[in-house]
């Protein structure tokens, strides 16, 4: 069954769980911060309570974004496998230290170190995908591991609520440390290699397929341009800044929004939160399929940013709490699709040799997520806990995303007609074997 398809086992499975558990580590704080015992134990009280909560995500994403640049260069030198194992060890230790925290300052430091450790996730994934998959399957390969990015929190939000209610908030962090120690690290040690050439389980036929590409055609189209010389790379990068601002702003504050603004109990909050992550998963899978079929990822990203603005606007004006929560979830889902398309385009604009650096620059854009979570907390304190001002800010950010991608649509359309359609007309029936 896996003949000629081992790359999906050796690479996609480890990266899936890499993101499945890593994303729970990353955004699990959005659920944990709704626990009164957690807030009381760390002294997160008073008039600036929301700013303190926002600061936890702010310092994490600053460290996460900055370290992406560092990890991007390290990965291109040491390889994705060693880098992934090193990062996993760092964030396993920080999960343990988070559970042992007895003060706000101690917990804050653990979030900074966690951000540094997890900063290698995007560069590692981009490097593996670039080295192990043919360009015609990038959309599916990206969507496969990004599934873990959203399925993890969808399941994790429910599990974390159960663990916290059954035991204590510290148990949630110890559980996450165990997942990394006994599942993620062994997978990267025993399954992965930096390239398919290094892996004894990859056949010659599979290797030939992975490496098959019309290099003459690609060189004619791109010349010797580095990805940094392609203006579209920087438009996508700006779009990723906006995407990070929106995604972290919504995902980090969604559980609090549901409880404090819409009056949900813990069970209802976890259900809507889980559904929102499933929306994101659905958009990722749809975008992975449609991007490979249409070759119009920039157009798709433009549409998704427009839909985000629409859903956020509806969330403000719809009086029904359930429908408002669903609209917030759909807005988050749209940004999940944009995140997938951004990663796909960055791999497209780079080469296997530069994929780590390109993905590192893309990962740096996550720094805006920290500003979003902190500014939203600050605006809530100024507005006596009201979310309207914060959501208006997110709507404006969505329109900035539309303006970024709209400038890439024309060239994408031109390339599709000049380079893709003529090839489809001239290919023989045997071409579908590749």
């Amino acid at each position: 069954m896996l003949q000629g398809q081992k790359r999906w086992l050796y690479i996609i499975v480890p990266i899936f769980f890499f993101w499945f558990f890593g994303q729970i580590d990353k955004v699990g704080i959005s659920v944990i911060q709704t626990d009164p015992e957690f807030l009381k134990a760390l002294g997160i009280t008073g008039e600036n309570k929301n700013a303190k909560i926002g600061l936890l995500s702010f310092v994490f994403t600053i460290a996460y974004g900055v370290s992406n640049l560092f990890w991007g260069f390290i990965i291109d030198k040491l390889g994705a496998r060693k880098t992934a194992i090193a990062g996993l060890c760092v964030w396993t230790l920080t999960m343990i230290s988070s559970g042992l925290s007895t003060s706000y300052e101690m917990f804050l430091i653990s979030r900074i170190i966690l951000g540094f450790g997890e900063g290698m996730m995007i560069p590692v994934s981009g490097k593996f995908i670039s080295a192990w998959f043919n360009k015609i399957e990038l959309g599916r390969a990206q969507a496969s591991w990004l599934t873990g990015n959203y399925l993890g929190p969808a399941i994790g939000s429910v599990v974390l609520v159960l663990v916290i209610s059954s035991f204590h908030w510290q148990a949630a962090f110890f559980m996450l440390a165990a997942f990394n120690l006994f599942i993620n690290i062994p997978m990267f040690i025993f399954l992965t290699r930096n390239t398919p050439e290094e892996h004894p389980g990859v056949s010659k036929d599979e290797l030939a397929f992975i490496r098959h590409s019309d290099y003459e055609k690609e060189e004619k189209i791109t010349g010797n341009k580095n990805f940094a010389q392609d203006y579209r790379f920087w438009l996508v990068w700006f779009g990723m800044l906006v995407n990070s601002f929106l995604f972290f702003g919504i995902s980090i504050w969604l559980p609090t929004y549901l409880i404090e603004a819409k009056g949900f109990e813990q069970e209802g909050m976890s259900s809507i939160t889980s559904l929102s992550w499933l929306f994101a998963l659905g958009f990722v899978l749809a975008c992975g399929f449609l991007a490979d079929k249409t070759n119009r990822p920039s157009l798709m990203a433009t549409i998704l940013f427009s839909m985000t603005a629409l859903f956020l606007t509806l969330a403000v004006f719809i009086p029904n709490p359930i429908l408002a929560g669903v609209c917030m979830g759909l807005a988050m889902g749209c940004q999940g699709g944009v995140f997938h398309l951004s990663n796909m385009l960055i791999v497209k604009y780079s080469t296997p040799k530069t994929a780590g650096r390109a993905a590192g620059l893309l990962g740096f854009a996550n720094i805006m997520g920290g500003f979003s979570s902190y500014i939203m907390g600050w605006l809530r304190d100024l507005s006596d806990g009201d979310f309207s001002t914060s959501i208006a800010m997110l709507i404006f950010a969505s329109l900035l995303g539309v303006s970024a991608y709209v400038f890439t649509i024309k060239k994408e359309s031109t390339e599709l007609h000049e380079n893709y359609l003529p090839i489809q007309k001239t290919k023989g029936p045997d071409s579908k074997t590749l």
Side-chain angles (χ1 to χ4, degrees):
M1 210 166 113
L2 286 173
Q3 187 67 30
Q5 304 290 327
K6 295 290 184 67
R7 59 195 180 282
W8 298 95
L9 169 64
Y10 295 142
I11 299 300
I12 293 301
V13 171
I15 293 181
F16 169 83
F17 285 103
F18 185 51
W19 281 88
F20 183 90
F21 295 120
Q23 197 69 356
I24 300 176
D25 293 351
K26 190 185 304 178
V27 302
I29 187 65
S30 67
V31 173
I32 296 172
Q33 71 190 25
T34 65
D35 179 43
E37 289 296 322
F38 168 77
L39 299 176
K40 182 180 178 180
L42 298 186
I44 306 177
T45 56
E47 295 182 355
N48 62 342
K49 179 185 76 170
N50 292 302
K52 281 186 174 181
I53 292 174
L55 186 61
L56 293 176
S57 297
F58 175 75
V59 296
F60 167 82
T61 49
I62 293 295
Y64 183 85
V66 172
S67 66
N68 264 267
L69 298 175
F70 167 78
W71 286 118
F73 284 97
I74 294 298
I75 289 168
D76 284 337
K77 297 293 183 182
L78 297 182
R81 182 169 175 259
K82 289 182 179 179
T83 306
I85 294 170
L88 282 165
C89 290
V90 171
W91 95 49
T92 299
L93 292 174
T94 58
M95 284 294 100
I96 296 173
S97 65
S98 296
L100 297 174
S101 295
T102 55
S103 68
Y104 178 76
E105 292 74 19
M106 183 177 177
F107 190 82
L108 199 67
I109 292 172
S110 73
R111 298 302 293 179
I112 296 173
I113 300 173
L114 176 65
F116 177 80
E118 290 196 355
M120 49 76 196
M121 293 181 72
I122 292 177
V124 161
S125 302
K127 189 74 170 178
F128 271 127
I129 296 297
S130 179
W132 275 80
F133 291 87
N134 189 285
K135 284 187 179 293
I136 66 171
E137 54 186 1
L138 289 181
R140 283 166 290 163
Q142 293 279 13
S144 296
W145 64 264
L146 282 171
T147 300
N149 188 44
Y150 302 109
L151 188 60
I155 297 174
S157 59
V158 177
V159 172
L160 287 174
V161 169
L162 291 174
V163 170
I164 292 171
S165 60
S166 301
F167 301 98
H168 204 266
W169 63 268
Q170 289 102 326
F173 289 103
F174 297 146
M175 176 189 69
L176 294 173
F179 286 149
N180 284 329
L181 186 61
F182 297 110
I183 298 177
N184 276 339
I185 293 176
M187 278 193 170
F188 276 95
I189 292 174
F190 296 110
L191 287 181
T192 66
R193 297 294 185 274
N194 289 327
T195 65
E197 287 86 353
E198 298 174 21
H199 207 297
V202 176
S203 67
K204 291 182 179 180
D205 288 341
E206 184 171 4
L207 181 60
F209 171 78
I210 293 170
R211 294 292 174 246
H212 175 80
S213 180
D214 192 342
Y215 290 108
E216 291 182 4
K217 173 180 171 293
E218 288 182 9
E219 189 171 343
K220 183 179 179 181
I221 296 170
T222 63
N224 296 317
K225 286 179 64 176
N226 184 278
F227 69 86
Q229 296 174 295
D230 191 331
Y231 77 92
R232 292 174 300 172
F233 172 87
W234 296 108
L235 288 174
V236 172
W237 185 80
F238 177 78
M240 186 61 182
L241 283 176
V242 178
N243 172 249
S244 174
F245 191 87
L246 287 164
F247 190 83
F248 277 93
I250 299 172
S251 63
I252 293 298
W253 283 103
L254 180 60
T256 304
Y257 166 82
L258 293 171
I259 289 176
E260 297 186 9
K262 296 301 177 182
F264 283 88
E265 298 294 333
Q266 285 284 336
E267 293 78 9
M269 175 275 290
S270 65
S271 298
I272 296 291
T273 301
S274 178
L275 180 64
S276 300
W277 287 101
L278 290 176
F279 283 150
L281 173 60
F283 276 100
V284 165
L285 295 176
C287 287
F289 174 79
L290 292 174
D292 283 345
K293 290 293 182 182
T294 66
N295 282 285
R296 298 303 303 271
S298 294
L299 176 61
M300 292 168 60
T302 306
I303 294 172
L304 289 174
F305 270 120
S306 302
M307 290 172 62
T308 301
L310 173 62
F311 286 129
L312 288 172
T313 303
L314 290 174
V316 173
F317 292 103
I318 289 179
N320 185 284
I322 295 178
L323 291 179
V326 169
C327 283
M328 290 292 289
L330 286 169
M332 192 175 92
C334 288
Q335 289 307 299
V338 172
F339 179 74
H340 165 57
L341 294 170
S342 299
N343 279 274
M344 178 184 171
L345 286 167
I346 291 304
V347 173
K348 176 182 176 181
Y349 297 149
S350 62
T351 66
K353 289 184 178 180
T354 61
R357 277 166 282 176
L361 280 169
L362 183 71
F364 176 76
N366 281 282
I367 198 170
M368 289 302 295
F371 286 98
S372 176
S373 60
Y374 182 73
I375 293 172
M376 286 185 70
W378 176 69
L379 288 174
R380 286 200 67 214
D381 286 334
L382 290 180
S383 307
D384 295 324
D386 186 64
F387 273 93
S388 299
T389 308
S390 300
I391 296 176
M393 175 186 66
L394 296 178
I395 294 171
F396 177 74
S398 303
L399 298 178
L400 289 178
V402 173
S403 68
Y405 270 97
V406 77
F407 289 105
T408 66
I409 294 176
K410 184 176 180 180
K411 187 167 183 178
E412 179 181 76
S413 177
T414 301
E415 286 186 352
L416 177 65
H417 287 85
E418 290 182 355
N419 303 314
Y420 179 73
L421 294 180
I423 293 173
Q424 292 295 96
K425 292 177 181 179
T426 57
K427 280 185 177 180
D430 294 335
S431 63
K432 57 186 176 181
T433 60
L434 290 177

